[in-house]
Amino acid sequence: MDFYVDVVLPIPLERFFTYSITSGEASFLKRGMRVAVPFGKSKIYTALVFEIHQNQPKVYEAKEIHQILDEVPLVTEIQLKHWQWIASYYMCTLGEVMRSALPSAFLLESETLILPGNSEDIVEEGLSDNEFLILEALRHQSSLKIQEAAAILDRKHVLPIVQKMMEKGLVRLKEELYELYRPKMEKYVRLAKGYQDEENLEPLLTELSRAKKQSQAVLSFFQLQSGQKKLIKLKQLEELSGSSRPVIKALADKGIFEIYELQIDRVHFESNSLKAEDIVLNRMQAKAFESIAESFSQHKVCLLHGVTSSGKTEVYIKLIQNVITSGGQVLYLLPEIALTSQLINRLKAYFGNQVAVYHSKYSLNERVEVWNNTLRASEKAKVIIGARSSLFLPFASLRLVIVDEEHEASFKQFDPAPRYHARDAAVVLAQLHKVNCLLGSATPSVESYSNVKHGKYGLAEMPRRYGDVLMPEIELVDIKEATRKKRMKGHFSERLMEEMTTSLDEGEQIILFQNRRGFAPIVECTTCGHASQCPNCDVSLTYHQHRNQLRCHYCGYHIPVLKSCQACGSNTLDTKGFGTEQLQEELLRLFPDANVARMDLDTTRGKYAYEKIIGAFEHHETDILVGTQMVTKGLDFRNVGLVGIMNADSLLNFPDYRAHERSFQLMTQVAGRAGRTKKRGKVLIQSYNPYHQILHQVANYDYEKMFAEQLYEREQFKYPPHIRIIKIILKDRDYNKLNEAADWFASSLRNVLKTTVLGPEYPVVSRIRNEYLKHVLVKVGKNHPIVQTKNSIKRIEKSFNAIAQYKSIRLVYNVDHI
């Protein structure tokens, strides 16, 4: 009887691919195991077992699988269900979800090896120089990787040469799989069995009395052993005894020591120094804790709406403690890696080596170890802290999901697919595991708060700061008037300069927020008005003074700073606007005695860059921290007396229906970094329009008014949460073809769908990496079946792809576009 297996391949295929297997393989294989399978002409991919059956494929002949890679499933049943939901809801393929979910160390792809041909009589006269070099290399080694051949020939493309050699029978190609994950091994030392009895120790020490270094090494071993160390590392013994490795190896050769290896985790946190039981919740926190428990008892998602510095983390710690005491796992989602570094320190103080961290700054090997520990429900993975990708971990005993700063746009994945929202996907994950889910924020998203108002979510509130500390005083500064009266020093108003001087004199720290990195967004010629543009994208190049470059923030294109205008040749170049880099330079000039640091994408590229910047600010080594959105998100600094928002108008005047909501959230969050201890903090917001309603709502901490106004406006103009939005992006290098195709697609949508279709329209940046973009917006009412709409769009896509001239056009779906 024939057996077959349907597999998920990590490529964007709509359907499963079927392979033939033996009856023995069919009885061994389980859903979620990895198998290596041939796909295409010669490539071997890692695929995931989805279903085992006896239905032979009708369209093609099923190939045999190459090999089985796992002994136990790597992916759980619930994970597969979750992936299917993500693929269905966000209109992508299961293969795309798999590629995004699995650490790339698990996605083995074959490597092409060049082997000597079968022909033994090779006539060297007819060989080219390149062919001769490859054959010469194969005489000294059994096979060559393609990269090795490229290095030998000093060429980028060697496959055409290899192809000709294959035709002549000089070489043959073979596909080989390589394991990317390498476990970390640590060397340990123990006494050989013959010397573990005390009777044998005295003669041993007498025997070694002449060999002083060896004797010292043995005595140091006993010293470490008496310190109640069960396992003694070779490194520790070397350091304590002052011996070199050959001395210890000599003792091993004599049969006195045994040197052995154990696998260890690359990331390890020390044991906890504090106990969660010791946290005493104040009355407001205790009330919120009860409200959360009540929501959970009704199987509702709960929204914890607590002002900045109200003590939400203590409530989270209490909830986590309850879960891990009963043997469960907790997923703690954060929007930014910057936040994890500070929170890890707080959580590991309570939970020690039960904390695991998972995000993109961790190496492949480190992520594999966290994955394996989570799958085994190891003690090392009871509390998993991570950015959005940690949603995909294989939880064995998940009991609680916490989404902190749930309003953050960083929870939405933009590229590549799946373009999922981690908050919404976390709510579904909790439902699939039948566990509790808690969303926390000082400024909840309009959607989440609307769910509370409709009774879908529970609500817990913490309206005051911990210890009844006063909220910072917010002052609006009119820089239009200050500029007119020439009372600005660079980009600083007189009022801001005055408050900064006072704060520095009192030994307080300052945070300045400017939502643009680089030195200046535009370098313009004052003679002809020309500004340098990116040749690949429809944006101007941003000036980075530190690198002395003009850079594109979309494609990475960069050129040295120009000395004269490219259009008219004049050397009257000037900068327009300002970024964090320019602010840092101005501050060093205005406050030469202050230590100024910058936190943006340019300064946080390294693995530990966040920790260094945040650590220096926490230890008061930095006086002024200039930053982009990174400084707004949940960071807890005890000595910040003043926060300055340099230009509120750049946030408010953004062409997006969420601009006002985002502005309120960003400004309230960054204001919340000030005055977190007894002394009341101060926040100055510089604006050309200080009478704007949102600025007054921020100044009065009036979230309810902002929510009511935004909800009303969105109801009038049909935007979420009243309706759902599916954004369809069409991309192509041919401008005219894209216009024609976008019109065809939009008119087809209007004909088929009984709902509002806007566009096609060019976005603000209409060309990125030499590809033109056009957007079509589909608005789906709450009463309209969303699944039916998505299916209709997919059917239109099939008709669209059948048109020959539109085959090059790429379609991208962004469901719940934000």
mmCIF file of all heavy atoms in Angstrom, residues 465 471-474 496 499-500 502-504 506-511 617 620 623 637-644 670-684:
data_model
loop_
_atom_site.group_PDB
_atom_site.id
_atom_site.type_symbol
_atom_site.label_atom_id
_atom_site.label_comp_id
_atom_site.label_asym_id
_atom_site.label_seq_id
_atom_site.Cartn_x
_atom_site.Cartn_y
_atom_site.Cartn_z
ATOM 1 N N ARG A 465 -0.206 57.665 39.387
ATOM 2 C CA ARG A 465 1.159 57.138 39.423
ATOM 3 C C ARG A 465 1.435 56.445 40.757
ATOM 4 O O ARG A 465 0.797 56.764 41.767
ATOM 5 C CB ARG A 465 2.170 58.278 39.219
ATOM 6 C CG ARG A 465 2.284 58.705 37.771
ATOM 7 C CD ARG A 465 3.402 59.682 37.557
ATOM 8 N NE ARG A 465 3.901 59.587 36.176
ATOM 9 C CZ ARG A 465 4.996 60.162 35.740
ATOM 10 N NH1 ARG A 465 5.746 60.867 36.560
ATOM 11 N NH2 ARG A 465 5.379 60.044 34.486
ATOM 12 N N MET A 471 1.650 63.653 37.993
ATOM 13 C CA MET A 471 1.981 63.574 36.564
ATOM 14 C C MET A 471 2.771 64.822 36.180
ATOM 15 O O MET A 471 2.571 65.887 36.771
ATOM 16 C CB MET A 471 0.698 63.498 35.721
ATOM 17 C CG MET A 471 -0.104 62.227 35.923
ATOM 18 S SD MET A 471 0.731 60.737 35.354
ATOM 19 C CE MET A 471 0.561 60.897 33.588
ATOM 20 N N PRO A 472 3.694 64.727 35.205
ATOM 21 C CA PRO A 472 4.491 65.903 34.841
ATOM 22 C C PRO A 472 3.623 67.066 34.370
ATOM 23 O O PRO A 472 2.542 66.856 33.803
ATOM 24 C CB PRO A 472 5.371 65.401 33.694
ATOM 25 C CG PRO A 472 5.303 63.931 33.739
ATOM 26 C CD PRO A 472 4.019 63.561 34.386
ATOM 27 N N GLU A 473 4.108 68.256 34.627
ATOM 28 C CA GLU A 473 3.415 69.460 34.154
ATOM 29 C C GLU A 473 3.803 69.666 32.694
ATOM 30 O O GLU A 473 4.984 69.692 32.345
ATOM 31 C CB GLU A 473 3.880 70.660 34.990
ATOM 32 C CG GLU A 473 3.230 71.967 34.600
ATOM 33 C CD GLU A 473 3.925 73.162 35.247
ATOM 34 O OE1 GLU A 473 4.690 72.976 36.209
ATOM 35 O OE2 GLU A 473 3.702 74.284 34.750
ATOM 36 N N ILE A 474 2.799 69.775 31.819
ATOM 37 C CA ILE A 474 3.070 69.925 30.382
ATOM 38 C C ILE A 474 2.805 71.372 29.957
ATOM 39 O O ILE A 474 1.749 71.933 30.228
ATOM 40 C CB ILE A 474 2.214 68.940 29.547
ATOM 41 C CG1 ILE A 474 2.575 67.488 29.910
ATOM 42 C CG2 ILE A 474 2.400 69.177 28.049
ATOM 43 C CD1 ILE A 474 1.780 66.434 29.174
ATOM 44 N N LEU A 496 12.755 76.554 26.569
ATOM 45 C CA LEU A 496 13.366 75.226 26.692
ATOM 46 C C LEU A 496 14.798 75.340 27.200
ATOM 47 O O LEU A 496 15.228 74.567 28.062
ATOM 48 C CB LEU A 496 13.325 74.491 25.347
ATOM 49 C CG LEU A 496 13.855 73.046 25.309
ATOM 50 C CD1 LEU A 496 13.160 72.171 26.341
ATOM 51 C CD2 LEU A 496 13.693 72.436 23.921
ATOM 52 N N GLU A 499 14.732 76.007 30.987
ATOM 53 C CA GLU A 499 14.402 74.815 31.783
ATOM 54 C C GLU A 499 15.542 73.787 31.760
ATOM 55 O O GLU A 499 15.812 73.126 32.763
ATOM 56 C CB GLU A 499 13.110 74.160 31.262
ATOM 57 C CG GLU A 499 11.842 74.912 31.607
ATOM 58 C CD GLU A 499 11.546 74.945 33.113
ATOM 59 O OE1 GLU A 499 12.044 74.070 33.851
ATOM 60 O OE2 GLU A 499 10.836 75.866 33.555
ATOM 61 N N MET A 500 16.213 73.663 30.606
ATOM 62 C CA MET A 500 17.336 72.722 30.498
ATOM 63 C C MET A 500 18.482 73.149 31.412
ATOM 64 O O MET A 500 19.090 72.317 32.101
ATOM 65 C CB MET A 500 17.823 72.623 29.043
ATOM 66 C CG MET A 500 16.893 71.821 28.149
ATOM 67 S SD MET A 500 17.410 71.811 26.422
ATOM 68 C CE MET A 500 18.827 70.724 26.521
ATOM 69 N N THR A 502 18.268 74.929 34.151
ATOM 70 C CA THR A 502 17.845 74.693 35.540
ATOM 71 C C THR A 502 17.984 73.209 35.903
ATOM 72 O O THR A 502 18.514 72.862 36.962
ATOM 73 C CB THR A 502 16.378 75.141 35.731
ATOM 74 O OG1 THR A 502 16.249 76.493 35.293
ATOM 75 C CG2 THR A 502 15.944 75.027 37.175
ATOM 76 N N SER A 503 17.528 72.335 35.008
ATOM 77 C CA SER A 503 17.589 70.887 35.270
ATOM 78 C C SER A 503 19.028 70.407 35.421
ATOM 79 O O SER A 503 19.349 69.633 36.334
ATOM 80 C CB SER A 503 16.908 70.108 34.146
ATOM 81 O OG SER A 503 15.534 70.333 34.168
ATOM 82 N N LEU A 504 19.914 70.866 34.544
ATOM 83 C CA LEU A 504 21.319 70.454 34.613
ATOM 84 C C LEU A 504 21.983 70.976 35.884
ATOM 85 O O LEU A 504 22.779 70.267 36.508
ATOM 86 C CB LEU A 504 22.087 70.930 33.371
ATOM 87 C CG LEU A 504 21.721 70.230 32.048
ATOM 88 C CD1 LEU A 504 22.379 70.925 30.866
ATOM 89 C CD2 LEU A 504 22.124 68.756 32.074
ATOM 90 N N GLU A 506 20.540 71.421 38.682
ATOM 91 C CA GLU A 506 20.022 70.630 39.815
ATOM 92 C C GLU A 506 20.418 69.152 39.746
ATOM 93 O O GLU A 506 19.960 68.339 40.545
ATOM 94 C CB GLU A 506 18.488 70.760 39.867
ATOM 95 C CG GLU A 506 18.038 72.166 40.260
ATOM 96 C CD GLU A 506 16.523 72.331 40.232
ATOM 97 O OE1 GLU A 506 15.819 71.329 39.943
ATOM 98 O OE2 GLU A 506 16.038 73.447 40.497
ATOM 99 N N GLY A 507 21.245 68.814 38.742
ATOM 100 C CA GLY A 507 21.741 67.432 38.630
ATOM 101 C C GLY A 507 20.724 66.464 38.059
ATOM 102 O O GLY A 507 20.852 65.249 38.223
ATOM 103 N N GLU A 508 19.694 66.990 37.386
ATOM 104 C CA GLU A 508 18.677 66.124 36.783
ATOM 105 C C GLU A 508 19.039 65.801 35.330
ATOM 106 O O GLU A 508 19.801 66.526 34.698
ATOM 107 C CB GLU A 508 17.306 66.804 36.832
ATOM 108 C CG GLU A 508 16.755 66.927 38.241
ATOM 109 C CD GLU A 508 15.445 67.702 38.302
ATOM 110 O OE1 GLU A 508 15.105 68.401 37.318
ATOM 111 O OE2 GLU A 508 14.769 67.619 39.325
ATOM 112 N N GLN A 509 18.453 64.724 34.828
ATOM 113 C CA GLN A 509 18.702 64.331 33.437
ATOM 114 C C GLN A 509 17.567 64.813 32.531
ATOM 115 O O GLN A 509 16.462 65.094 32.996
ATOM 116 C CB GLN A 509 18.840 62.809 33.335
ATOM 117 C CG GLN A 509 20.107 62.293 33.994
ATOM 118 C CD GLN A 509 20.080 60.776 34.116
ATOM 119 O OE1 GLN A 509 19.256 60.227 34.846
ATOM 120 N NE2 GLN A 509 20.975 60.099 33.427
ATOM 121 N N ILE A 510 17.883 64.881 31.228
ATOM 122 C CA ILE A 510 16.935 65.436 30.244
ATOM 123 C C ILE A 510 16.792 64.469 29.078
ATOM 124 O O ILE A 510 17.775 63.873 28.624
ATOM 125 C CB ILE A 510 17.448 66.801 29.717
ATOM 126 C CG1 ILE A 510 17.604 67.809 30.869
ATOM 127 C CG2 ILE A 510 16.548 67.365 28.632
ATOM 128 C CD1 ILE A 510 18.428 69.028 30.522
ATOM 129 N N ILE A 511 15.543 64.296 28.599
ATOM 130 C CA ILE A 511 15.290 63.532 27.362
ATOM 131 C C ILE A 511 14.705 64.487 26.330
ATOM 132 O O ILE A 511 13.767 65.241 26.628
ATOM 133 C CB ILE A 511 14.318 62.358 27.606
ATOM 134 C CG1 ILE A 511 14.995 61.255 28.436
ATOM 135 C CG2 ILE A 511 13.834 61.768 26.279
ATOM 136 C CD1 ILE A 511 14.095 60.085 28.786
ATOM 137 N N PHE A 617 22.713 55.885 30.699
ATOM 138 C CA PHE A 617 21.736 56.890 31.155
ATOM 139 C C PHE A 617 21.234 56.546 32.554
ATOM 140 O O PHE A 617 21.076 57.431 33.399
ATOM 141 C CB PHE A 617 20.570 56.953 30.158
ATOM 142 C CG PHE A 617 19.748 58.215 30.272
ATOM 143 C CD1 PHE A 617 20.273 59.445 29.902
ATOM 144 C CD2 PHE A 617 18.449 58.185 30.748
ATOM 145 C CE1 PHE A 617 19.523 60.619 30.009
ATOM 146 C CE2 PHE A 617 17.686 59.338 30.861
ATOM 147 C CZ PHE A 617 18.225 60.556 30.483
ATOM 148 N N HIS A 620 23.612 57.566 35.275
ATOM 149 C CA HIS A 620 23.867 59.016 35.294
ATOM 150 C C HIS A 620 25.188 59.392 34.626
ATOM 151 O O HIS A 620 25.764 60.435 34.923
ATOM 152 C CB HIS A 620 23.845 59.569 36.735
ATOM 153 C CG HIS A 620 22.558 59.327 37.445
ATOM 154 N ND1 HIS A 620 22.308 59.710 38.736
ATOM 155 C CD2 HIS A 620 21.413 58.709 37.040
ATOM 156 C CE1 HIS A 620 21.093 59.341 39.100
ATOM 157 N NE2 HIS A 620 20.535 58.735 38.080
ATOM 158 N N ASP A 623 23.930 63.021 30.608
ATOM 159 C CA ASP A 623 23.054 64.085 31.140
ATOM 160 C C ASP A 623 21.844 64.312 30.242
ATOM 161 O O ASP A 623 20.742 64.538 30.717
ATOM 162 C CB ASP A 623 23.842 65.393 31.267
ATOM 163 C CG ASP A 623 25.016 65.258 32.218
ATOM 164 O OD1 ASP A 623 24.797 64.736 33.326
ATOM 165 O OD2 ASP A 623 26.141 65.635 31.850
ATOM 166 N N PHE A 637 13.331 55.657 33.863
ATOM 167 C CA PHE A 637 14.509 56.378 34.358
ATOM 168 C C PHE A 637 14.074 57.229 35.551
ATOM 169 O O PHE A 637 13.145 58.019 35.462
ATOM 170 C CB PHE A 637 15.096 57.270 33.254
ATOM 171 C CG PHE A 637 15.517 56.526 32.017
ATOM 172 C CD1 PHE A 637 14.947 56.813 30.778
ATOM 173 C CD2 PHE A 637 16.465 55.521 32.081
ATOM 174 C CE1 PHE A 637 15.321 56.124 29.642
ATOM 175 C CE2 PHE A 637 16.850 54.823 30.938
ATOM 176 C CZ PHE A 637 16.276 55.129 29.724
ATOM 177 N N ARG A 638 14.785 57.075 36.668
ATOM 178 C CA ARG A 638 14.342 57.690 37.930
ATOM 179 C C ARG A 638 14.752 59.155 38.075
ATOM 180 O O ARG A 638 14.224 59.861 38.925
ATOM 181 C CB ARG A 638 14.910 56.909 39.133
ATOM 182 C CG ARG A 638 14.785 55.404 39.068
ATOM 183 C CD ARG A 638 13.390 54.916 38.777
ATOM 184 N NE ARG A 638 12.430 55.200 39.830
ATOM 185 C CZ ARG A 638 11.138 54.961 39.733
ATOM 186 N NH1 ARG A 638 10.641 54.461 38.616
ATOM 187 N NH2 ARG A 638 10.322 55.242 40.733
ATOM 188 N N ASN A 639 15.728 59.632 37.271
ATOM 189 C CA ASN A 639 16.276 60.964 37.528
ATOM 190 C C ASN A 639 15.970 61.969 36.422
ATOM 191 O O ASN A 639 16.602 62.993 36.316
ATOM 192 C CB ASN A 639 17.814 60.840 37.711
ATOM 193 C CG ASN A 639 18.413 62.105 38.289
ATOM 194 O OD1 ASN A 639 17.867 62.692 39.219
ATOM 195 N ND2 ASN A 639 19.521 62.550 37.727
ATOM 196 N N VAL A 640 14.961 61.650 35.572
ATOM 197 C CA VAL A 640 14.633 62.565 34.469
ATOM 198 C C VAL A 640 13.695 63.651 34.981
ATOM 199 O O VAL A 640 12.576 63.367 35.401
ATOM 200 C CB VAL A 640 13.998 61.797 33.286
ATOM 201 C CG1 VAL A 640 13.562 62.758 32.183
ATOM 202 C CG2 VAL A 640 14.977 60.782 32.731
ATOM 203 N N GLY A 641 14.180 64.893 34.951
ATOM 204 C CA GLY A 641 13.363 66.011 35.434
ATOM 205 C C GLY A 641 12.659 66.743 34.317
ATOM 206 O O GLY A 641 11.648 67.415 34.535
ATOM 207 N N LEU A 642 13.213 66.644 33.098
ATOM 208 C CA LEU A 642 12.674 67.425 31.987
ATOM 209 C C LEU A 642 12.634 66.592 30.711
ATOM 210 O O LEU A 642 13.577 65.866 30.394
ATOM 211 C CB LEU A 642 13.558 68.666 31.752
ATOM 212 C CG LEU A 642 13.182 69.570 30.564
ATOM 213 C CD1 LEU A 642 11.863 70.301 30.822
ATOM 214 C CD2 LEU A 642 14.292 70.590 30.289
ATOM 215 N N VAL A 643 11.520 66.707 29.986
ATOM 216 C CA VAL A 643 11.390 66.100 28.652
ATOM 217 C C VAL A 643 11.034 67.209 27.673
ATOM 218 O O VAL A 643 10.150 68.019 27.950
ATOM 219 C CB VAL A 643 10.310 64.993 28.636
ATOM 220 C CG1 VAL A 643 9.933 64.614 27.205
ATOM 221 C CG2 VAL A 643 10.790 63.747 29.371
ATOM 222 N N GLY A 644 11.743 67.238 26.551
ATOM 223 C CA GLY A 644 11.457 68.249 25.523
ATOM 224 C C GLY A 644 11.038 67.569 24.230
ATOM 225 O O GLY A 644 11.724 66.659 23.750
ATOM 226 N N VAL A 670 6.231 59.819 25.815
ATOM 227 C CA VAL A 670 7.534 60.456 26.055
ATOM 228 C C VAL A 670 7.451 61.395 27.263
ATOM 229 O O VAL A 670 8.400 61.511 28.044
ATOM 230 C CB VAL A 670 8.071 61.162 24.788
ATOM 231 C CG1 VAL A 670 7.393 62.466 24.491
ATOM 232 C CG2 VAL A 670 9.579 61.385 24.890
ATOM 233 N N ALA A 671 6.294 62.031 27.461
ATOM 234 C CA ALA A 671 6.101 62.878 28.644
ATOM 235 C C ALA A 671 6.181 62.046 29.917
ATOM 236 O O ALA A 671 6.676 62.499 30.958
ATOM 237 C CB ALA A 671 4.745 63.588 28.570
ATOM 238 N N GLY A 672 5.725 60.789 29.815
ATOM 239 C CA GLY A 672 5.721 59.894 30.971
ATOM 240 C C GLY A 672 7.101 59.493 31.456
ATOM 241 O O GLY A 672 7.255 58.894 32.520
ATOM 242 N N ARG A 673 8.151 59.794 30.681
ATOM 243 C CA ARG A 673 9.524 59.487 31.147
ATOM 244 C C ARG A 673 9.976 60.492 32.207
ATOM 245 O O ARG A 673 10.985 60.265 32.865
ATOM 246 C CB ARG A 673 10.535 59.532 29.984
ATOM 247 C CG ARG A 673 10.276 58.641 28.784
ATOM 248 C CD ARG A 673 9.945 57.215 29.130
ATOM 249 N NE ARG A 673 8.571 56.911 28.752
ATOM 250 C CZ ARG A 673 7.786 56.082 29.393
ATOM 251 N NH1 ARG A 673 8.193 55.437 30.455
ATOM 252 N NH2 ARG A 673 6.545 55.889 28.992
ATOM 253 N N ALA A 674 9.270 61.608 32.365
ATOM 254 C CA ALA A 674 9.708 62.667 33.289
ATOM 255 C C ALA A 674 9.077 62.497 34.663
ATOM 256 O O ALA A 674 7.941 62.036 34.793
ATOM 257 C CB ALA A 674 9.332 64.034 32.723
ATOM 258 N N GLY A 675 9.834 62.907 35.694
ATOM 259 C CA GLY A 675 9.319 63.009 37.068
ATOM 260 C C GLY A 675 8.720 61.739 37.607
ATOM 261 O O GLY A 675 7.591 61.736 38.089
ATOM 262 N N ARG A 676 9.482 60.623 37.550
ATOM 263 C CA ARG A 676 8.935 59.337 38.007
ATOM 264 C C ARG A 676 9.222 59.090 39.491
ATOM 265 O O ARG A 676 8.910 58.030 40.015
ATOM 266 C CB ARG A 676 9.485 58.193 37.135
ATOM 267 C CG ARG A 676 8.975 58.293 35.697
ATOM 268 C CD ARG A 676 9.691 57.318 34.781
ATOM 269 N NE ARG A 676 9.148 55.974 34.895
ATOM 270 C CZ ARG A 676 8.198 55.460 34.127
ATOM 271 N NH1 ARG A 676 7.654 56.192 33.179
ATOM 272 N NH2 ARG A 676 7.793 54.207 34.291
ATOM 273 N N THR A 677 9.847 60.071 40.157
ATOM 274 C CA THR A 677 10.038 59.976 41.618
ATOM 275 C C THR A 677 9.262 61.109 42.275
ATOM 276 O O THR A 677 8.344 61.645 41.680
ATOM 277 C CB THR A 677 11.545 60.033 41.963
ATOM 278 O OG1 THR A 677 12.140 61.112 41.261
ATOM 279 C CG2 THR A 677 12.261 58.743 41.557
ATOM 280 N N LYS A 678 9.650 61.513 43.481
ATOM 281 C CA LYS A 678 8.825 62.455 44.263
ATOM 282 C C LYS A 678 8.686 63.830 43.621
ATOM 283 O O LYS A 678 7.635 64.439 43.653
ATOM 284 C CB LYS A 678 9.406 62.619 45.675
ATOM 285 C CG LYS A 678 9.249 61.368 46.545
ATOM 286 C CD LYS A 678 7.789 61.047 46.802
ATOM 287 C CE LYS A 678 7.588 59.727 47.538
ATOM 288 N NZ LYS A 678 6.185 59.317 47.551
ATOM 289 N N LYS A 679 9.783 64.335 43.004
ATOM 290 C CA LYS A 679 9.717 65.684 42.433
ATOM 291 C C LYS A 679 8.930 65.668 41.128
ATOM 292 O O LYS A 679 9.138 64.797 40.276
ATOM 293 C CB LYS A 679 11.129 66.225 42.172
ATOM 294 C CG LYS A 679 11.109 67.695 41.801
ATOM 295 C CD LYS A 679 12.480 68.229 41.466
ATOM 296 C CE LYS A 679 12.346 69.641 40.912
ATOM 297 N NZ LYS A 679 13.572 70.167 40.390
ATOM 298 N N ARG A 680 8.027 66.620 40.950
ATOM 299 C CA ARG A 680 7.195 66.660 39.749
ATOM 300 C C ARG A 680 8.036 67.025 38.522
ATOM 301 O O ARG A 680 8.844 67.950 38.558
ATOM 302 C CB ARG A 680 6.069 67.680 39.935
ATOM 303 C CG ARG A 680 5.020 67.563 38.847
ATOM 304 C CD ARG A 680 3.897 68.557 39.033
ATOM 305 N NE ARG A 680 2.830 68.291 38.076
ATOM 306 C CZ ARG A 680 1.803 69.105 37.872
ATOM 307 N NH1 ARG A 680 1.683 70.221 38.569
ATOM 308 N NH2 ARG A 680 0.877 68.815 36.978
ATOM 309 N N GLY A 681 7.850 66.269 37.455
ATOM 310 C CA GLY A 681 8.614 66.512 36.236
ATOM 311 C C GLY A 681 7.991 67.613 35.393
ATOM 312 O O GLY A 681 6.886 68.088 35.658
ATOM 313 N N LYS A 682 8.723 68.004 34.358
ATOM 314 C CA LYS A 682 8.271 69.078 33.478
ATOM 315 C C LYS A 682 8.405 68.610 32.026
ATOM 316 O O LYS A 682 9.385 67.961 31.661
ATOM 317 C CB LYS A 682 9.147 70.317 33.710
ATOM 318 C CG LYS A 682 8.728 71.540 32.946
ATOM 319 C CD LYS A 682 8.047 72.530 33.850
ATOM 320 C CE LYS A 682 7.616 73.761 33.071
ATOM 321 N NZ LYS A 682 6.781 74.643 33.881
ATOM 322 N N VAL A 683 7.428 68.907 31.195
ATOM 323 C CA VAL A 683 7.471 68.565 29.778
ATOM 324 C C VAL A 683 7.198 69.817 28.959
ATOM 325 O O VAL A 683 6.221 70.525 29.219
ATOM 326 C CB VAL A 683 6.420 67.479 29.422
ATOM 327 C CG1 VAL A 683 6.481 67.132 27.939
ATOM 328 C CG2 VAL A 683 6.619 66.232 30.264
ATOM 329 N N LEU A 684 8.073 70.106 28.000
ATOM 330 C CA LEU A 684 7.867 71.250 27.102
ATOM 331 C C LEU A 684 7.643 70.735 25.693
ATOM 332 O O LEU A 684 8.448 69.955 25.172
ATOM 333 C CB LEU A 684 9.079 72.189 27.118
ATOM 334 C CG LEU A 684 9.366 72.928 28.435
ATOM 335 C CD1 LEU A 684 10.531 73.874 28.281
ATOM 336 C CD2 LEU A 684 8.153 73.704 28.916
#
